[in-house]
Amino acid sequence: MFMRWSWVVVLLLLLPGAGGAQETVAPEDFDATVRRLEEAISAESSGEEEAQPEEETSPPATSDSTPPWTNLLRMDAATLTLLPRRGEGADEGFVQVEPMVALGKGESLRLILGAPVRLRLWGGGEGAGLVRKEDWDTLSDWGQVVRLFMAGGDTPNSVWLGMMEGYSLLSGHLVRRYGNRVNPDYHPAGVIATGTVGPVYAEAFVSDVLSARLTGAEVALDVQHVLFGHPPVPGRYTLALSAVHDWGRVGGTSRPMTLAHLDATALVLRRGRKGKRVEAHLLGGWGGRPGERGAWGAVAGVGVDALTPTVDLRARLEGRLQRGGFRQGTFGPDHELARFQVAGPASVPLAEASFPEGTSAYGEVILSWDAVRLSGMRQRHLFLSLGVEAFSWGRVDVDGRVEAQLFHRDFSLGVGGLATAMGQPGARYLVSGEARWRFLGGNLYVLGQGGTLLFPTPEGTLRPGAFAAVGLGVDNAR
């Protein structure tokens, strides 16, 4: 089964103030790992209130209280095996060592530094070095040293630096559920900045701070604020303009591309009381490729947001029209692989592919639920994120992830998948999963991870592969 088992030693050093541990890191999905690192950093500043029923929580801190600094120093080791599929490639085995240092101040400031170093046990062919070369052979790969930097928290003026997974640029009609590390040999750090001035809210991003990759921004205008002054409900009627540029300088056969989109949103229903809120909005928009006649698209739809102490639900349903090679959500979960080879019958790089004209229906659901009380990423029994788009000419794209906490939160399970161009020859499928079981009071846990990968080749194609990892960890994050 191409797998060698070896003992792993996990050394955890905790400075006073906070505790935490990170799971074995697989090459594909760092999202859940970053979430748990955030949990560890904010554990002390947020207290233990998320583990208690709402009526038993302690009174909130006074407005003049200052959240304490928390810090974490940690070393982690595990096994990792990269496996071939369909007879292509050879298996490789590694011991993965990962040092980490983290600092945090409440919910508004967090810094996490650390990167996995994979030391070869076997495989790789003649001349293969001790350290896996593909993890550090470009300038962009050094971005993985910054696991997370965040200033401003959830406030309108904030900066975030690190991995981008499932990222959508505001309206999401150009950048939707994008991931900058779906390529297992490419480990950049992206940056997102948001800001507001009066009736204007803006968000900008760069997918790779050390290389020319994707750059974009969206500016939203609160129309009611402009016409009638500060409204009681901000954002009831908005106009937004977004633009994204692909520099086309790195990664596969690429060429520069610029897309723009204009969106309008109207809040048509808002009900809320005592911690519960329901909102419904209508949306519509038009976009295209500046300078290219006939490349355009239109969209119309409806969205619903519902929030209670135990449920956070966001859903949208859209009808879309594509003309001249333009499509909504061009920069999506499969984009960094499509640079090398698009999914479907063409099997050519994205720069040489032509997207068919037609229509599509797009639906998305993001659900968080907890039987006791939601507390961000730290406490939720169920998390579900699913996006589906069905095209009139027979193609279906699906991207989703589900996570669950079971057995008094001692067992956590996460499964993710990406299916592109289903219903056509050359469809692409990627899956990954992870499980963690805590025992001995929750301070010790065992971990297993596995899934499929697509590795870029020097010829510009994608080679199918898989990964498997096992590990043992200890922490005091509980």
Side-chain angles (χ1 to χ4, degrees):
M1 52 186 291
F2 302 100
M3 186 82 179
R4 298 185 184 181
W5 298 86
S6 63
W7 292 99
V8 265
V9 179
V10 179
L11 175 64
L12 183 67
L13 301 174
L14 293 173
L15 300 180
Q22 180 182 353
E23 303 158 5
T24 313
V25 179
E28 184 183 38
D29 187 5
F30 286 68
D31 189 33
T33 300
V34 171
R35 291 176 188 166
R36 294 186 178 100
L37 286 174
E38 289 183 277
E39 298 166 17
I41 289 298
S42 58
E44 179 179 309
S45 59
S46 60
E48 295 297 326
E49 57 177 342
E50 63 267 23
Q52 305 173 9
E54 186 171 0
E55 61 271 18
E56 298 178 6
T57 59
S58 58
T62 59
S63 58
D64 58 350
S65 63
T66 301
W69 282 95
T70 58
N71 50 75
L72 174 69
L73 177 66
R74 198 218 52 171
M75 178 70 74
D76 178 283
T79 58
L80 172 67
T81 304
L82 302 180
L83 310 170
R85 286 195 299 146
R86 302 176 188 172
E88 301 182 38
D91 63 312
E92 300 177 78
F94 301 89
V95 169
Q96 182 169 272
V97 180
E98 183 168 5
M100 189 193 74
V101 59
L103 297 171
K105 189 175 180 65
E107 298 290 333
S108 61
L109 183 63
R110 296 173 186 171
L111 174 64
I112 303 174
L113 301 176
V117 178
R118 300 181 178 109
L119 305 177
R120 190 177 305 276
L121 292 176
W122 74 86
E126 186 176 353
L130 175 64
V131 178
R132 187 174 186 266
K133 180 190 67 174
E134 294 84 353
D135 293 336
W136 303 98
D137 59 351
T138 68
L139 179 63
S140 295
D141 287 327
W142 291 90
Q144 66 183 308
V145 174
V146 182
R147 300 302 304 271
L148 176 71
F149 171 75
M150 182 180 66
D154 293 330
T155 65
N157 302 293
S158 63
V159 176
W160 182 95
L161 176 70
M163 177 189 176
M164 301 175 71
E165 185 72 23
Y167 171 68
S168 297
L169 177 63
L170 291 186
S171 64
H173 289 138
L174 294 182
V175 182
R176 193 79 187 170
R177 304 176 71 92
Y178 169 78
N180 64 350
R181 293 189 188 176
V182 68
N183 175 353
D185 293 336
Y186 175 59
H187 313 91
V191 62
I192 303 168
T194 64
T196 181
V197 178
V200 178
Y201 178 81
E203 178 171 313
F205 83 97
V206 174
S207 68
D208 187 342
V209 296
L210 298 177
S211 244
R213 206 73 164 192
L214 295 181
T215 304
E218 182 164 340
V219 178
L221 179 67
D222 189 328
V223 177
Q224 188 177 11
H225 191 163
V226 172
L227 297 179
F228 306 105
H230 197 285
V233 180
R236 183 180 290 272
Y237 306 103
T238 62
L239 288 175
L241 178 64
S242 57
V244 178
H245 181 71
D246 187 340
W247 295 93
R249 296 179 183 175
V250 290
T253 304
S254 300
R255 63 183 179 187
M257 175 173 59
T258 301
L259 302 181
H261 211 278
L262 179 66
D263 289 279
T265 304
L267 184 65
V268 295
L269 173 66
R270 191 174 193 271
R271 298 285 187 272
R273 61 183 180 86
K274 295 183 179 180
K276 299 180 180 180
R277 186 182 75 247
V278 177
E279 296 180 349
H281 58 270
L282 301 178
L283 59 94
W286 180 93
R289 294 187 181 184
E292 293 192 25
R293 295 186 59 185
W296 62 277
V299 59
V302 60
V304 175
D305 297 342
L307 180 65
T308 73
T310 59
V311 176
D312 185 356
L313 171 66
R314 287 170 286 166
R316 68 162 57 188
L317 180 63
E318 298 177 352
R320 297 174 170 181
L321 176 69
Q322 301 92 20
R323 291 292 183 267
F326 174 86
R327 67 166 293 189
Q328 296 81 10
T330 295
F331 308 106
D334 187 60
H335 181 73
E336 293 301 332
L337 294 177
R339 290 178 181 274
F340 299 90
Q341 184 177 330
V342 298
S347 296
V348 296
L350 180 63
E352 303 173 8
S354 176
F355 199 80
E357 294 187 350
T359 60
S360 67
Y362 176 80
E364 182 180 47
V365 174
I366 301 176
L367 171 67
S368 296
W369 171 80
D370 193 89
V372 180
R373 180 171 61 87
L374 283 174
S375 181
M377 297 293 182
R378 290 182 295 279
Q379 180 172 326
R380 53 186 189 181
H381 281 111
L382 176 67
F383 171 76
L384 170 67
S385 178
L386 178 65
V388 181
E389 186 168 14
F391 295 87
S392 58
W393 38 277
R395 167 172 169 157
V396 178
D397 293 346
V398 179
D399 171 47
R401 181 170 181 82
V402 61
E403 301 172 2
Q405 297 175 348
L406 307 170
F407 308 118
H408 305 288
R409 308 187 195 275
D410 287 330
F411 181 74
S412 61
L413 177 68
V415 179
L418 172 64
T420 311
M422 288 194 304
Q424 293 191 307
R428 177 178 297 160
Y429 302 93
L430 290 173
V431 296
S432 64
E434 59 186 16
R436 178 171 59 176
W437 179 271
R438 290 181 176 272
F439 53 97
L440 296 182
N443 296 120
L444 195 66
Y445 65 85
V446 292
L447 173 75
Q449 291 180 321
T452 58
L453 301 166
L454 288 172
F455 294 93
T457 67
E459 295 77 22
T461 60
L462 295 173
R463 174 179 63 84
F467 72 92
V470 292
L472 178 68
V474 59
D475 66 36
N476 67 348
R478 312 250 311 188

